[in-house]
Amino acid sequence: MNIRAIKLRIATARGDFGFQFKFGRGLTVVRGSNSSGKSTLFNCLMYGLGMEELVGGRGEKVLPYAVKEFFNLGEERVEVVASEVFVELENTRGASVTLRRAIRDTVRDTKLVEVFEGAHLTSPSTEVGTPKPTFLFDPGSAKKQEGFHQFLETFMGYQLPGVATTSGGMTKLYLQAVFAALAVEQKRGWTDYIANIPFFGIRDARTRVTEFLLGLSVFERQAKRAELDADSMAIDSDWRRVFDNLRQAAAVNGVVIEGLSTTPTALFDPATVLFVKSNGKTKTSLAEHVSQLRAEHAELGAKAEAYSKASGIEALQELDSASEELQRLSVLHERATANLTLQRASQEEFRVLLAEASEDLDRNKTALKLRDLGAQMGVEVASDHCPTCHQSMDDTLLFGIVSGPQMDLRTNIEYLESQRRMLQRQINGAQEEIRQSEIAVADITARLAAKHDYRNSLRGDVSTGAAESRAIVRRQIQIELELSNLATFETQAEALLIDLEGVAARLVANQAARKALPKDAYSEQDLARIGLFEKNFRSNASSFGYESAEIRDIRISTDTLTPTLSDLELREIISKPKASLIADSSASDFVRLIWSYLLALHQTSVTRGFEGNHPGILLMDEPGQHSMRSSSQHALLQLLSGEGKLQSIVAASFDENESVFREATAGLEFTLIQWEGKVIQPLNS
């Protein structure tokens, strides 16, 4: 893609102001003194492309007041009535479009980008025609046909891949993230290899952008892996939902579930799941319990038939038997309730201990971190020596408090982590015991209430001498109701177990699909591309005069795709482990690394046999950061100028020194854009 031209139009009471510039197909140098408007031009270009998020926000608020409120013309203050920006683009197929976006307008919203077919800035004689309206930043702008970023993606010939998110789902590798490697603004753009990527929840966004531009074949595998991860989360959620439904239905009927995992398992077998009834002391299978209820119901039926012939002694014996059973159930209920109370108290105690262990662990980790940081800075006390008397010091938080041998910080951290894991397991175990005890208490409570009603009915029978026993009838009704409820539960449980069997089958398929995925993150062809990228990066760093480390030792990490030395990202000094390169080396050297990285992305992408997805544009605002010497700037511009398939636009002040500018551009072919005074001027000039 090529950016052909830009135009800023500001309507005022004194006529139209602004600027209009054409960019070359190769290197274009935008030269201007500080505060002359270079960044205004750069930011307006980003705004016109719908990429102002790379500058620091959305909408016209990222632009200076001079293009939307007022600007000074000599001593006069000129109010802005309306303003808009035009950008002309050309793609690799030779098609041209002109974009128009309002900055300040009473009619058009700043989220509207109008797309005109044709090159209306470089060929103004062509008929303008009717624009195609597109929108920005609202939902769908990157996916719907009417969305501007979707239009620009299609215009550039892209089909952006799906990438994993930090929440475990999938999203698009948005065009703004890709542009972060193509356009570097002055204030924050030189702080990272690919800086200012807007937050879209993309996991390892910088690495994903690099992989896309290099054309690595990882996105299909990553998409499949992310799909399997999302499926795993759905499997876990579905299993827990079905399990909770089954457990709730069981609890209502006083049934305890045994042999069923709370988490998904590929070895699930419905035949191994047992449903039992517990009285807090003994357990009976559900089938046996149902058999006992039916036997009791039949026995009560026989008693009912013989009741009118029964003697008073037999009725009293039945009453005594019911009273004894009631007393036994009362004792069981008291024991089960007491046991449940103890279990809850024990769980709460475990939770308190876990909180204390976690707090101690955090304190020890903080102490260790501070000690390690102090050791890196050469602080003597951090190496267990007194800075005054130079005597050795104990590595512990309890020195002088506890006598005898004491664990050092690292050992104590390992111990506390082990203790925390143990306490968490105990809490989980206690939780399951509490659930079973609650079911047992509920079951005994229901049996106790039923037996109490039965005894009271027996007393009424004995006192009235009724010909038909109300106690027997009541108990038969209770049994029939319980049998009906248990039958409903068994039907429901059977259906839920079938659901769990289906979830287990999905887990088996998910695990098989994971095993079929390649174990290595990158293919051999990908590694070859990364190797070429590494070679180009080192070559560029050498050309730019990087001196903070041995260039031959630099590697591109296959984990992050960033430059590393001894497995540390290359902003570090190896002689002082984990010391910042920006602090311990010249800040300009780190900027040289960013130059090398961004340029190597394009160089690798256009190499025959290694073609990637770089669109062939690179925009840099003040790349000569931190008083960069002119020889390094010349090397950068020379390489940019020599890239035949790259359009580069570099805005720089060259220290406002003519000799620096001449030295930096000596012998180069480039298009020069410069102006006198401020960039905002009458358009007719």
Side-chain angles (χ1 to χ4, degrees):
M1 188 180 77
N2 251 258
I3 303 173
R4 299 292 304 280
I6 183 173
K7 176 181 179 180
L8 171 69
R9 176 177 172 269
I10 302 175
T12 74
R14 295 196 49 177
D16 287 351
F17 287 77
F19 55 75
Q20 182 169 348
F21 299 111
K22 296 181 182 179
F23 303 108
R25 290 186 175 276
L27 171 62
T28 297
V29 176
V30 180
R31 183 190 178 195
S33 59
N34 291 326
S35 303
S36 65
K38 294 188 310 302
S39 292
T40 298
L41 190 157
F42 186 91
N43 292 350
C44 283
L45 180 57
M46 291 294 98
Y47 181 83
L49 292 170
M51 296 294 165
E52 68 267 23
E53 286 175 287
L54 305 182
V55 182
R58 290 183 175 182
E60 73 283 0
K61 63 184 179 183
V62 305
L63 299 176
Y65 67 88
V67 303
K68 57 186 178 181
E69 296 176 9
F70 70 90
F71 58 89
N72 294 319
L73 187 64
E75 298 296 325
E76 182 182 357
R77 171 172 164 151
V78 180
E79 299 290 339
V80 175
V81 177
S83 56
E84 58 188 359
V85 63
F86 299 81
V87 178
E88 182 182 313
L89 304 176
E90 181 184 22
N91 63 17
T92 55
R93 300 183 298 276
S96 296
V97 294
T98 303
L99 312 176
R100 179 172 72 177
R101 186 180 179 190
I103 298 174
R104 178 171 181 172
D105 198 304
T106 57
V107 178
R108 288 173 296 155
D109 193 278
T110 58
K111 292 181 179 180
L112 172 69
V113 181
E114 296 171 289
V115 181
F116 296 87
E117 295 291 338
H120 300 296
L121 296 183
T122 57
S123 302
S125 59
T126 58
E127 185 179 348
V128 175
T130 303
K132 172 186 175 181
T134 61
F135 66 92
L136 278 169
F137 303 129
D138 285 339
S141 65
K143 297 179 180 179
K144 293 182 179 179
Q145 187 177 359
E146 299 81 5
F148 174 72
H149 287 130
Q150 177 60 44
F151 158 78
L152 187 57
E153 176 185 335
T154 304
F155 182 79
M156 295 174 67
Y158 276 170
Q159 187 172 358
L160 294 173
V163 291
T165 65
T166 54
S167 60
M170 292 290 292
T171 190
K172 193 174 190 177
L173 182 63
Y174 290 100
L175 197 57
Q176 301 96 303
V178 176
F179 259 80
L182 310 176
V184 186
E185 60 91 24
Q186 178 181 358
K187 294 181 180 178
R188 295 173 297 277
W190 301 105
T191 59
D192 201 353
Y193 293 105
I194 301 178
N196 293 349
I197 297 179
F199 179 75
F200 298 116
I202 298 173
R203 184 186 302 166
D204 301 323
R206 185 179 63 174
T207 305
R208 301 292 87 81
V209 170
T210 303
E211 289 171 340
F212 174 73
L213 292 176
L214 292 178
L216 302 186
S217 59
V218 297
F219 291 101
E220 183 178 346
R221 279 178 285 168
Q222 288 173 349
K224 181 62 176 176
R225 186 172 286 108
E227 181 183 340
L228 291 174
D229 289 343
D231 186 46
S232 292
M233 295 178 65
I235 288 171
D236 184 74
S237 176
D238 291 346
W239 182 280
R240 292 181 185 278
R241 174 181 54 79
V242 177
F243 180 86
D244 288 342
N245 289 340
L246 181 58
R247 183 170 58 189
Q248 184 177 3
V252 169
N253 291 279
V255 176
V256 176
I257 305 172
E258 293 185 348
L260 180 59
S261 171
T262 58
T263 56
T265 172
L267 301 176
F268 173 72
D269 182 2
T272 63
V273 180
L274 301 177
F275 299 111
V276 299
K277 296 284 285 186
S278 173
N279 60 10
K281 191 173 182 181
T282 60
K283 293 181 179 180
T284 307
S285 70
L286 185 60
E288 185 179 351
H289 179 71
V290 169
S291 177
Q292 290 175 354
L293 287 177
R294 287 173 176 164
E296 183 182 355
H297 189 277
E299 183 181 349
L300 289 171
K303 285 184 178 180
E305 291 180 3
Y307 184 78
S308 59
K309 302 175 184 177
S311 65
I313 295 176
E314 291 174 340
L316 290 173
Q317 288 176 343
E318 180 66 19
L319 178 61
D320 290 340
S321 176
S323 298
E324 289 176 2
E325 178 65 15
L326 184 63
Q327 187 175 6
R328 187 184 71 84
L329 288 173
S330 297
V331 172
L332 286 176
H333 183 270
E334 184 177 350
R335 289 176 180 173
T337 304
N339 184 52
L340 178 59
T341 303
L342 289 174
Q343 288 174 339
R344 287 172 173 167
S346 178
Q347 184 189 44
E348 185 60 32
E349 185 178 351
F350 286 146
R351 284 177 174 163
V352 171
L353 292 174
L354 179 62
E356 292 175 352
S358 298
E359 184 179 353
D360 289 344
L361 181 61
D362 289 341
R363 283 204 304 265
N364 278 269
K365 284 184 174 180
T366 302
L368 181 61
K369 181 178 181 180
L370 292 173
R371 193 195 68 171
D372 289 346
L373 289 172
Q376 293 163 21
M377 300 298 294
V379 179
E380 196 167 0
V381 70
S383 58
D384 303 332
H385 287 83
C386 175
T388 303
C389 66
H390 307 292
Q391 292 184 11
S392 62
M393 301 168 58
D394 286 332
D395 176 17
T396 176
L397 296 177
L398 302 174
F399 179 70
I401 300 175
V402 178
S403 60
Q406 301 169 32
M407 292 185 288
D408 60 24
L409 286 173
R410 294 187 187 279
T411 305
N412 203 36
I413 287 173
E414 292 175 0
Y415 167 75
L416 288 170
E417 286 178 337
S418 174
Q419 187 180 46
R420 189 167 65 170
R421 289 192 298 269
M422 178 193 69
L423 288 169
Q424 188 60 61
R425 287 194 298 269
Q426 289 177 321
I427 289 173
N428 294 339
Q431 183 65 38
E432 186 58 33
E433 289 179 354
I434 287 173
R435 289 196 188 103
Q436 294 197 14
S437 294
E438 287 173 342
I439 294 173
V441 169
D443 183 55
I444 295 172
T445 301
R447 291 166 61 190
L448 185 63
K451 187 59 69 174
H452 188 272
D453 290 343
Y454 179 64
R455 188 193 64 173
N456 288 343
S457 297
L458 280 175
R459 283 177 174 173
D461 293 342
V462 171
S463 62
T464 60
E468 184 179 17
S469 173
R470 290 178 296 174
I472 292 176
V473 173
R474 180 186 293 273
R475 179 56 185 155
Q476 284 181 317
I477 293 173
Q478 290 174 345
I479 292 174
E480 290 168 1
L481 181 60
E482 184 175 357
L483 286 172
S484 175
N485 290 338
L486 290 176
T488 302
F489 166 72
E490 287 180 322
T491 302
Q492 184 179 6
E494 183 178 357
L496 291 174
L497 289 177
I498 292 174
D499 290 343
L500 289 177
E501 199 170 11
V503 176
R506 287 166 52 196
L507 179 60
V508 171
N510 185 284
Q511 292 174 342
R514 287 183 185 279
K515 289 181 180 178
L517 289 174
K519 292 183 172 58
D520 297 327
Y522 299 118
S523 66
E524 291 185 6
Q525 187 178 7
D526 290 339
L527 293 175
R529 288 174 186 262
I530 295 171
L532 179 60
F533 178 50
E534 179 183 285
K535 180 180 177 181
N536 288 331
F537 175 84
R538 288 201 297 245
S539 176
N540 293 339
S542 178
S543 299
F544 299 149
Y546 177 75
E547 300 173 344
S548 293
E550 289 292 337
I551 294 176
R552 64 175 179 270
D553 296 330
I554 297 174
R555 297 288 181 270
I556 295 294
S557 168
T558 53
D559 293 327
T560 62
L561 296 183
T562 54
T564 59
L565 274 173
S566 299
D567 297 326
L568 293 175
E569 186 171 303
L570 192 57
R571 5 169 134 217
E572 317 283 334
I573 294 298
I574 304 305
S575 59
K576 288 186 177 182
K578 298 186 180 179
S580 172
L581 176 66
I582 297 176
D584 294 341
S585 177
S586 66
S588 58
D589 246 1
F590 181 60
V591 176
R592 290 185 181 93
L593 295 179
I594 300 175
W595 294 355
S596 305
Y597 191 86
L598 298 179
L599 187 55
L601 287 174
H602 172 263
Q603 292 167 331
T604 307
S605 182
V606 298
T607 301
R608 180 173 296 181
F610 294 88
E611 289 82 3
N613 297 308
H614 202 288
I617 57 172
L618 189 57
L619 291 74
M620 296 181 171
D621 188 9
E622 286 291 2
Q625 298 279 311
H626 308 291
S627 302
M628 185 76 68
R629 56 178 179 257
S630 56
S631 60
S632 293
Q633 296 186 60
H634 179 269
L636 171 65
L637 297 179
Q638 186 176 38
L639 281 179
L640 292 174
S641 176
E643 291 293 323
K645 297 181 180 180
L646 176 67
Q647 181 194 33
S648 52
I649 301 173
V650 178
S653 64
F654 299 98
D655 296 333
E656 302 188 24
N657 189 307
E658 181 67 23
S659 63
V660 172
F661 169 71
R662 292 186 180 278
E663 183 179 350
T665 58
L668 304 181
E669 290 186 8
F670 62 96
T671 300
L672 177 62
I673 294 176
Q674 62 179 348
W675 55 86
E676 293 295 329
K678 299 291 186 179
V679 71
I680 297 177
Q681 299 180 11
L683 278 180
N684 57 13
S685 64

